[in-house]
């Protein structure tokens, strides 16, 4: 998905709001006005370095097309264009507005002196983009606020209709850097060179669909003075927490897990969870089902569920998973109520159990997708992502639980702690049963003795990495949830442990 920047937390890379970063940058430039041009020149070098190492080694282009707005994002484009001219590329700039910032104008004039063609346009029809062009998007950057209209929208739409490689500077123009929302139109980038730090808009709402491949660019400004919104989880930090198995370990020590899942109509959900748990290291998996939804996996001990004996049946387990394919009938409700009272065991609550529970036990791991989280919090379906996450964080704080908010990206929220963002995974994982696999993996790590936050981070990371391997082998269009389980083996083998 991307090359990351500076890790300023054990968890990983900082993610900030575009507004807070711009405000911090302005404070620095008040103290030293020369910093503005210095930052722009360093950014241009960094952007050029990304193109040299990540794009030009793979693609060849007949021409470079700069799309230039009136702000300093356009100045960045001109500064980059000047470097590309010196490398021997033909570069033409289409400037949307006559008036630009003084620094952007200075960089535009320097670009022309080096032989760059600079065209001031009055309508989108004057912009020429061919499929063999490299398009550099310097229209708006993080300065986008409100709905994109008029000639800007027309130029963005023209760019999106082309099949050219599009390289956005900092963030695709039209994407709100504070929220990820798109109003009117926004550039669909093939790649984005983000400056200094990831912004909220790169990851939330529609922004994640627009950024393409993300690559970090250092433009000379330290970001440790900017308040964090959340952190991008560092793979090495997460995978260092994989449970280590002693040579003398036996199945009970390896982790005994109870899975309460499945009805006649949805027996597959339980089988996916149980299989995923075994394939990620659980030593023994016991499955308790409603009706006649017995698990057909040979290694699983499958038993019909009786509410009155459930606590005794689960007594030896190190962790519980409840919810996949459980249904929402009266018996399922009775089972969920009983399990919620069994507070001694670490627990993962998924699927139907999220709808049926009245209150989660402390330290529980909840694994909702967006619809389930909206239902859990009792909010309107139209709620913005940032507000939804704010309310979910409050729920974690009030109830002392962890929420694994499934999606692309996945967010992990824990009580009174930094939000963590994980980006492994692909659209092929948006398929029935993928969440059941994730729940089984998280519960497996919980049964193996991982702390709830570590189990959550490991579960999402391993699930996403295996999903990416499945997509590489099979194509995202072809994948089903069981393919993620099949790809756990090559993932673990790649770790050489």
């Amino acid at each position: 998905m991307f090359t990351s920047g500076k890790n300023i937390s054990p968890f990983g890379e900082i993610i900030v709001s575009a507004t807070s970063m711009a405000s911090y940058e302005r404070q620095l430039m008040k103290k030293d006005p020369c910093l503005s041009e210095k930052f722009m020149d360093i950014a241009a070098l960094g952007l050029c370095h990304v193109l040299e190492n990540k794009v030009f080694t793979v693609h060849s282009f007949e021409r470079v097309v700069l799309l230039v707005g009136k702000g300093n994002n356009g100045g960045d484009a001109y500064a980059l264009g000047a470097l590309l001219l010196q490398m021997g590329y033909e570069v033409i700039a289409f400037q949307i507005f006559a008036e630009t910032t003084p620094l952007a104008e200075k960089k535009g004039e320097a670009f022309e002196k080096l032989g760059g063609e600079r065209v001031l346009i009055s309508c989108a029809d004057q912009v020429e983009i061919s499929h063999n062009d490299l398009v550099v998007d310097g229209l708006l950057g993080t300065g986008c606020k409100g709905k994109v209209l008029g000639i800007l929208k027309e130029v963005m739409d023209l760019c999106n209709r082309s099949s050219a490689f599009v390289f956005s500077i900092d963030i695709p123009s039209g994407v709100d850097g504070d929220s990820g929302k798109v109003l009117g139109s926004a550039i669909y980038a093939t790649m984005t060179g983000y400056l200094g730090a990831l912004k909220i808009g790169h990851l939330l709402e529609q922004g994640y669909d627009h950024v393409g491949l993300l690559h970090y660019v250092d433009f000379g400004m330290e970001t440790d003075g900017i308040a964090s919104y959340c952190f991008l989880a560092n793979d090495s930090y997460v995978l260092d927490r994989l449970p280590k198995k002693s040579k003398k370990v036996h199945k009970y020590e390896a982790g005994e897990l109870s899975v309460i899942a499945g009805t006649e109509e949805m027996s597959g959900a339980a089988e996916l969870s149980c299989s995923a748990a075994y394939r990620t290291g659980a030593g023994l998996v016991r499955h308790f089902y409603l009706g006649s939804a017995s698990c057909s996996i040979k290694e699983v001990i499958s038993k019909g569920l009786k509410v009155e004996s459930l606590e005794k049946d689960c007594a030896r387990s190190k962790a519980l998973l409840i919810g996949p394919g459980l249904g929402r009938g009266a018996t399922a409700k009775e089972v969920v109520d009983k399990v919620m009272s069994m507070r001694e065991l670490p627990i993962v609550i998924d699927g139907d159990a999220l709808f049926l529970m009245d209150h989660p036990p402390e330290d529980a791991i909840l694994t909702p997708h967006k619809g389930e989280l909206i239902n859990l919090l009792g909010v309107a379906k139209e709620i913005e992502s940032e507000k939804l996450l704010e309310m979910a964080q409050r729920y974690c704080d009030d109830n002392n639980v962890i929420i694994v908010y499934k999606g692309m990206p996945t967010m992990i929220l824990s009580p009174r702690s930094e939000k963590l963002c994980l980006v492994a995974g692909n659209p092929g994982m948006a398929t029935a049963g993928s969440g059941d696999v994730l729940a089984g993996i998280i519960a497996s790590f919980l049964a193996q003795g991982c702390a709830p936050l570590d189990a959550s981070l490991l579960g999402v990371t391993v699930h996403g990495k295996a999903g990416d391997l499945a997509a590489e082998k099979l194509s995202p269009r072809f994948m089903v949830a069981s393919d993620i389980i099949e790809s756990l083996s090559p993932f673990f083998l790649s770790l050489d442990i």
Side-chain angles (χ1 to χ4, degrees):
M1 174 61 188
F2 58 86
T3 56
S4 58
K6 298 176 182 178
N7 291 333
I8 65 168
S9 156
F11 291 132
E13 185 177 351
I14 190 173
I15 300 171
V16 302
S17 74
T19 297
S20 61
M21 187 161 181
S23 175
Y24 183 70
E25 191 174 351
R26 284 194 298 271
Q27 290 175 29
L28 294 177
M29 289 187 293
K30 279 184 180 179
K31 297 176 182 177
D32 183 358
C34 295
L35 282 178
S36 183
E37 185 168 7
K38 179 183 176 181
F39 286 159
M40 187 173 287
D41 290 339
I42 296 173
L45 285 168
L47 291 163
C48 191
H49 182 74
V50 170
L51 289 174
E52 283 185 279
N53 289 279
K54 302 296 181 180
V55 180
F56 296 154
T57 54
V58 181
H59 303 276
S60 59
F61 302 100
E62 292 183 356
R63 185 179 66 157
V64 178
V65 174
L66 310 181
L67 300 180
V68 180
K70 60 184 176 182
N72 278 351
N73 194 240
D76 292 328
Y78 276 131
L80 174 58
L83 294 174
L84 295 175
L85 283 168
Q86 293 174 71
M87 291 171 62
Y89 286 93
E90 177 190 349
V91 187
I92 181 171
F94 293 102
Q95 185 172 313
I96 312 300
F97 302 102
E99 291 186 8
T100 64
T101 63
L103 184 54
E105 180 59 28
K106 180 180 179 180
K107 295 301 179 184
E109 291 171 357
F111 168 78
E112 283 187 290
K113 286 179 181 178
L114 286 168
E117 185 179 356
R118 187 180 181 193
V119 180
L120 178 62
I121 66 165
S122 56
C123 68
D125 290 343
Q126 295 172 276
V127 177
E128 300 172 1
I129 300 174
S130 79
H131 69 280
N132 288 324
D133 289 336
L134 166 66
V135 178
V136 174
D137 162 31
L139 291 171
L140 292 173
T142 57
C144 177
K145 295 294 177 188
K147 192 171 184 177
V148 174
L149 299 168
I151 190 171
L152 272 173
K153 182 181 187 307
E154 292 167 9
V155 170
M156 289 181 190
D157 291 344
L158 182 148
C159 179
N160 289 338
R161 288 193 299 270
S162 77
S163 56
F165 190 106
V166 181
F167 183 70
S168 285
I169 297 175
D170 204 11
I171 195 168
S173 294
V175 175
D176 188 314
D178 286 333
S179 69
K181 291 178 71 174
V182 170
L183 299 175
S185 188
I187 292 287
Y188 278 98
T190 315
M191 182 180 289
T192 298
Y194 67 93
L195 305 180
L198 284 166
K199 319 301 185 298
I200 296 170
H202 288 127
L203 301 166
L204 296 188
E205 297 284 356
Q206 299 103 306
Y208 197 66
D209 280 332
H210 285 259
V211 294
L213 298 170
L214 284 163
H215 289 284
Y216 169 74
V217 174
D218 186 350
F219 71 103
M221 186 182 85
E222 294 297 326
T223 56
D224 51 2
I226 306 171
S228 64
Y229 173 75
C230 63
F231 286 88
L232 183 72
N234 183 329
D235 283 351
S236 61
Y237 171 88
V238 174
L239 295 175
D240 280 349
R241 280 148 180 77
L242 275 170
K244 306 294 190 293
K245 283 193 175 184
S246 163
K247 292 180 181 179
K248 296 183 178 181
V249 70
H250 57 71
K251 61 187 177 185
Y252 299 109
E253 290 176 337
E256 187 171 341
L257 173 67
S258 287
V259 177
I260 302 166
T263 60
E264 290 90 341
E265 295 83 7
M266 293 181 285
S267 59
E271 296 200 357
L272 288 167
S273 293
C274 291
S275 178
Y278 264 132
R279 294 298 190 184
T280 46
L284 182 64
V285 178
R286 300 180 186 275
H287 170 227
F288 301 94
Y289 58 89
L290 295 177
S292 58
S294 177
C295 182
S296 64
I297 298 171
K298 295 175 183 178
E299 296 85 356
V300 174
I301 300 171
S302 198
K303 179 181 178 181
L305 190 152
K306 294 181 180 179
V307 178
E308 60 272 16
S309 63
L310 189 56
E311 190 161 6
K312 181 180 178 182
D313 289 337
C314 296
R316 294 174 60 181
S317 297
K318 298 293 194 300
L320 280 173
L321 164 60
I322 184 169
L326 192 65
R328 301 182 189 177
T331 304
K333 170 62 175 169
E334 187 181 358
V335 170
V336 170
D337 288 345
K338 177 64 178 177
V339 171
M340 294 305 113
S341 70
M342 294 161 51
R343 298 180 180 274
E344 291 77 16
L345 283 176
I347 185 170
V348 177
I349 304 172
D350 183 58
D352 295 319
L354 291 168
F355 280 87
L356 294 172
M357 72 175 185
D358 296 322
H359 191 273
E362 287 195 0
D363 297 321
I365 301 171
L366 282 57
T367 58
H369 55 56
K370 186 173 183 179
E372 290 165 341
L373 184 58
I374 284 171
N375 181 77
L376 181 70
L377 300 176
V379 296
K381 292 181 179 179
E382 298 77 21
I383 189 170
E384 295 180 357
S385 292
E386 197 173 354
K387 182 65 174 177
L388 181 63
L389 286 168
E390 179 185 322
M391 295 183 70
Q393 182 64 59
R394 195 175 306 130
Y395 184 95
C396 290
D397 295 343
D398 292 344
N399 295 283
N400 201 38
V401 297
I402 289 172
I403 289 179
V404 177
Y405 177 32
K406 296 181 294 194
M408 281 300 290
T410 291
M411 303 290 293
I412 296 181
L413 294 81
S414 55
R416 294 164 293 282
S417 183
E418 298 284 0
K419 293 185 285 292
L420 299 173
C421 177
L422 297 96
V423 296
N426 60 84
M429 299 171 74
T431 185
S434 180
D436 304 320
V437 174
L438 174 61
I441 295 173
I442 294 173
S444 172
F445 288 129
L446 202 57
Q448 292 172 67
C450 292
L453 180 56
D454 287 347
S456 301
L457 286 165
L458 279 167
V460 173
T461 300
V462 170
H463 180 255
K465 298 291 186 184
D468 285 341
L469 286 174
E472 288 175 16
K473 179 182 178 182
L474 301 169
S475 144
R477 294 183 184 276
F478 185 78
M479 282 174 62
V480 293
S482 57
D483 295 324
I484 302 171
I485 299 174
E486 293 298 320
S487 294
L488 288 167
S489 173
F491 169 67
F492 285 128
L493 286 170
S494 74
L495 298 179
D496 195 26
I497 56 174

